[in-house]
Amino acid sequence: MNAKFTLAVIALVGIGVFALPSTMSLFAGQHSFYNIDATGNQIPCQKCHGDVKAELSSNGNTDPSKGPITPGPHAAFKCEYCHRIEQGSASGDNAFGRIKYNNATGSAKRYAIISVADFEAGNFPTVINGTDQFITGADKVTRLAGVALLHGKGNISANVTDGTGDILYVAPKGDLRIMPTYNETAGPNQGLPLDTNPATAQGGLDISRAVVNSTGTVDLTNAGSKSVNPGSAYHAASLVSCLECHGGEEPLGHNTRVTETINGSKPCSDCHYGGGPGVFAVPGGNRMTTLQAGGFNLTGMADDTGAQEAHKAWVTTDDGINRFGGPNGFANNGACIGCHTHVAVDINFKKGYKLAFDATETSTGVYSVSNASVEGQVNIAIYGNGSGATYGVGDKSYTWTPSKTLYMNGNSTVITGLNGDSSDSASALTTP
């Protein structure tokens, strides 16, 4: 019996030598998470989108005869420069959070104002005293009563006593509010910034420049109005418009803003908070406990529509790797594992090939565009390793049948489609 038992143990160990490494490797990869919190996106987008990364990294000028080889205009861009521009975990655009702290008798109050991200993450103290202020330390982290703010912005009203000697102020849940930076009152000023200084009104919101008093009134003069808090409309990557960066005019266009930044007169953090090296490293700071994955219409919140979430369809599709279904769709674990963990991802993407639309011109030379659609299909295989440091991109296969009669370079040769080659060059065009 002992001999048989010994042989069984040896057999199990032998099986383990082959089976356990891959099993434990996958287990470890599924429990080592990337984060998308307010301190910045850690997910390597190229793990799933290697083809996009390869295109962005390509050179602008590849012909030496036409001058030096130059990087493409977006070669140094990170994905979040265009997708998920508004970093953080909270919701609400052009807003901030206000917290009312009451003393024991309720007759004396102090108000604190912070970013929406800190507000919705519960990243503020529940109790303060009469002398607490927001303090920025040598590590450039702003704290209130020992709680580190994720975005380093905050302000607080002066202490008000009622003669009872109370020094502790407690924030009841009913006294937490999201405050707008724009006028909501009907009339000629509706929709205009509450910052009445024209020089700062269209700039990024800096709560530390605002003034709040013991009645909760907030004066945003000189504090700006443009607050970029990731809305519940998306979770990680949004379907943004190119004009958000290429509009050319303030506050959306970056032509002026980039120049000002280079000249040192307008730091990027005025609009894009999220910090440089070590600025928002907060050892021992409050942990986020809001673990709901908003932006997919799964949390039950009325404003969590996921309307601008690029990955909504993936998350809400039943791939069989989920825990439960529901009226709002499935919580697809495959999507969470693919993005948030250190596991390799292998995707066969099927994308549109050609943009088609109708353009008409009036007698005065005004164009109108309508009936935009995508035609044809591009198949491409992408592999990204666990860290995203290495990715593989396969050959592209194109399929397209023209909906109109098209001629090669305007001559009499009719184009009938693409022959599926790995490029859409002239040699890939199918002709009779």
Side-chain angles (χ1 to χ4, degrees):
M1 181 64 70
N2 289 337
K4 291 181 178 180
F5 180 78
T6 301
L7 289 173
V9 171
I10 293 172
L12 287 173
V13 171
I15 294 173
V17 169
F18 293 95
L20 284 178
S22 59
T23 302
M24 294 307 294
S25 175
L26 181 60
F27 179 86
Q30 287 179 328
H31 291 81
S32 179
F33 294 94
Y34 292 115
N35 209 342
I36 58 165
D37 67 13
T39 60
N41 180 20
Q42 300 171 353
I43 296 175
C45 302
Q46 64 270 20
K47 185 168 71 167
C48 294
H49 299 286
D51 59 330
V52 178
K53 177 64 175 176
E55 290 178 4
L56 290 177
S57 301
S58 62
N59 289 325
N61 176 32
T62 58
D63 186 353
S65 65
K66 297 181 179 180
I69 303 299
T70 57
H74 299 133
F77 275 32
K78 297 179 180 179
C79 300
E80 54 265 35
Y81 285 2
C82 294
H83 300 278
R84 195 174 177 269
I85 293 175
E86 303 94 336
Q87 299 183 31
S89 63
S91 63
D93 291 329
N94 298 322
F96 58 94
R98 190 190 72 179
I99 310 155
K100 181 171 72 173
Y101 292 87
N102 294 329
N103 72 346
T105 65
S107 58
K109 301 173 178 62
R110 301 190 74 195
Y111 285 84
I113 51 177
I114 58 177
S115 71
V116 175
D118 286 298
F119 181 89
E120 292 200 347
N123 192 48
F124 53 84
T126 56
V127 177
I128 63 173
N129 62 39
T131 59
D132 278 328
Q133 295 291 335
F134 287 106
I135 299 174
T136 301
D139 56 358
K140 298 184 180 180
V141 175
T142 302
R143 293 177 172 85
L144 173 62
V147 176
L149 294 186
L150 298 175
H151 295 299
K153 302 291 183 183
N155 218 326
I156 194 168
S157 62
N159 181 35
V160 178
T161 62
D162 60 1
T164 63
D166 294 321
I167 61 170
L168 292 182
Y169 293 74
V170 180
K173 291 184 178 179
D175 289 323
L176 310 178
R177 288 190 57 189
I178 293 291
M179 308 288 289
T181 65
Y182 282 75
N183 195 321
E184 295 182 317
T185 304
N189 293 326
Q190 186 174 18
L192 296 179
L194 293 173
D195 179 357
T196 56
N197 181 353
T200 58
Q202 298 297 332
L205 178 66
D206 183 348
I207 290 296
S208 65
R209 298 177 185 174
V211 178
V212 56
N213 62 27
S214 59
T215 65
T217 300
V218 182
D219 182 0
L220 291 178
T221 304
N222 302 318
S225 63
K226 303 298 183 183
S227 178
V228 283
N229 303 307
S232 54
Y234 66 90
H235 172 72
S238 59
L239 303 174
V240 298
S241 166
C242 299
L243 294 180
E244 290 192 23
C245 286
H246 295 281
E249 296 180 359
E250 293 286 1
L252 296 180
H254 282 50
N255 293 342
T256 303
R257 191 174 301 286
V258 170
T259 302
E260 290 176 340
T261 301
I262 293 174
N263 293 338
S265 61
K266 195 168 198 60
C268 298
S269 58
D270 274 7
C271 292
H272 302 284
Y273 49 68
V279 175
F280 296 109
V282 189
N286 264 19
R287 296 180 180 177
M288 279 195 179
T289 56
T290 52
L291 297 178
Q292 291 177 307
F296 299 124
N297 195 25
L298 293 171
T299 63
M301 296 184 295
D303 58 350
D304 180 14
T305 64
Q308 299 298 321
E309 166 55 45
H311 298 108
K312 180 180 177 181
W314 185 28
V315 173
T316 56
T317 299
D318 180 12
D319 67 352
I321 314 176
N322 55 67
R323 181 181 176 188
F324 54 85
N328 295 321
F330 290 87
N332 179 357
N333 281 353
C336 303
I337 291 170
C339 275
H340 285 281
T341 69
H342 294 70
V343 296
V345 177
D346 191 351
I347 305 175
N348 291 314
F349 269 119
K350 295 182 179 179
K351 307 179 181 181
Y353 164 63
K354 183 172 69 71
L355 175 66
F357 56 87
D358 295 336
T360 57
E361 183 185 15
T362 68
S363 58
T364 58
V366 177
Y367 280 90
S368 62
V369 178
S370 60
N371 299 325
S373 62
V374 175
E375 297 178 358
Q377 184 171 282
V378 182
N379 296 333
I380 182 171
I382 298 171
Y383 170 86
N385 73 335
S387 68
T390 301
Y391 59 90
V393 179
D395 288 336
K396 296 179 181 179
S397 177
Y398 296 84
T399 303
W400 166 62
T401 301
S403 56
K404 311 288 185 188
T405 301
L406 301 177
Y407 301 94
M408 179 80 75
N409 296 333
N411 61 28
S412 58
T413 303
V414 177
I415 299 171
T416 58
L418 290 173
N419 61 18
D421 283 359
S422 60
S423 76
D424 63 349
S425 62
S427 61
L429 292 173
T430 303
T431 56

